[in-house]
Amino acid sequence: RAAKSFDDPNSHLKVMGRKVGIEFNDQRRMLNTRRAHALVELLKNKGENEKANEFMVDLYKAYFEDAKDINDEKLLKEMVQKYDVDETEASFAMTDNNLAEIAKLDRQVKTRYGVSGVPFFMIHPNDGGTPVAFSGAYPPEIIAEQLEEAADE
């Protein structure tokens, strides 16, 4: 049933996507996104959160709208160049050892904060205090409330 509805131009997903300017491409396929996530982590580790967010938007468009293979190293290197990441840096970020280290750190954070589902949110208070972490799908009001509390601290 889900696979059939995916091809339906009037499926809930496609209708909602069009409302926010996303035209889902039916030609995309399931991909491993570890390399793409490694480049996002590289930008974040460099203190470039805004660039990391912009790169994520580029990745979403490349995958969901253009049906590109966002696991392809050559494509990823080209995409991340505009964020001042050179080819050597990108290549290192996507090595098996680095990918394993990212996965290990990710598991540690999830264990520490009791993450048990997706999506996962971690909100860092402005005062540098303990982050608030929660997982699962929540109504926007709940997420907004958490953001407001973190901003007030």
Side-chain angles (χ1 to χ4, degrees):
R1 174 170 139 68
K4 266 188 173 178
S5 70
F6 186 77
D7 291 333
D8 179 1
N10 295 313
S11 70
H12 181 71
L13 175 71
K14 289 184 179 178
V15 169
M16 296 306 290
R18 282 192 292 275
K19 287 183 179 182
V20 295
I22 300 171
E23 197 61 50
F24 288 98
N25 187 319
D26 292 339
Q27 301 305 309
R28 70 184 194 281
R29 56 192 173 88
M30 297 291 284
L31 299 167
N32 185 321
T33 59
R34 288 179 14 166
R35 290 180 180 143
H37 281 97
L39 294 174
V40 172
E41 290 302 315
L42 170 66
L43 288 167
K44 288 175 14 185
N45 290 337
K46 291 171 72 171
E48 301 284 359
N49 287 338
E50 194 60 40
K51 287 182 181 180
N53 290 338
E54 291 171 20
F55 182 57
M56 284 294 294
V57 170
D58 290 351
L59 289 168
Y60 289 149
K61 182 181 182 332
Y63 177 70
F64 288 110
E65 294 184 41
D66 302 333
K68 291 187 178 176
D69 180 352
I70 60 167
N71 190 44
D72 180 77
E73 285 189 47
K74 183 178 178 194
L75 172 67
L76 289 168
K77 287 176 191 177
E78 290 170 7
M79 289 179 67
V80 79
Q81 259 185 338
K82 80 180 203 183
Y83 299 104
D84 302 320
V85 174
D86 66 35
E87 190 171 332
T88 303
E89 221 176 357
S91 292
F92 176 78
M94 293 185 283
T95 62
D96 287 341
N97 287 343
N98 193 57
L99 293 172
E101 185 64 23
I102 290 170
K104 177 182 167 190
L105 293 172
D106 186 54
R107 280 191 305 276
Q108 289 172 349
V109 168
K110 288 176 180 171
T111 299
R112 183 177 326 127
Y113 290 100
V115 174
S116 59
V118 292
F120 167 64
F121 301 93
M122 181 176 285
I123 302 170
H124 295 269
N126 288 333
D127 68 0
T130 304
V132 174
F134 56 98
S135 60
Y138 287 91
E141 313 77 64
I142 301 295
I143 296 171
E145 183 181 305
Q146 293 295 320
L147 289 169
E148 288 170 6
E149 284 180 27
D152 290 341
E153 292 181 2

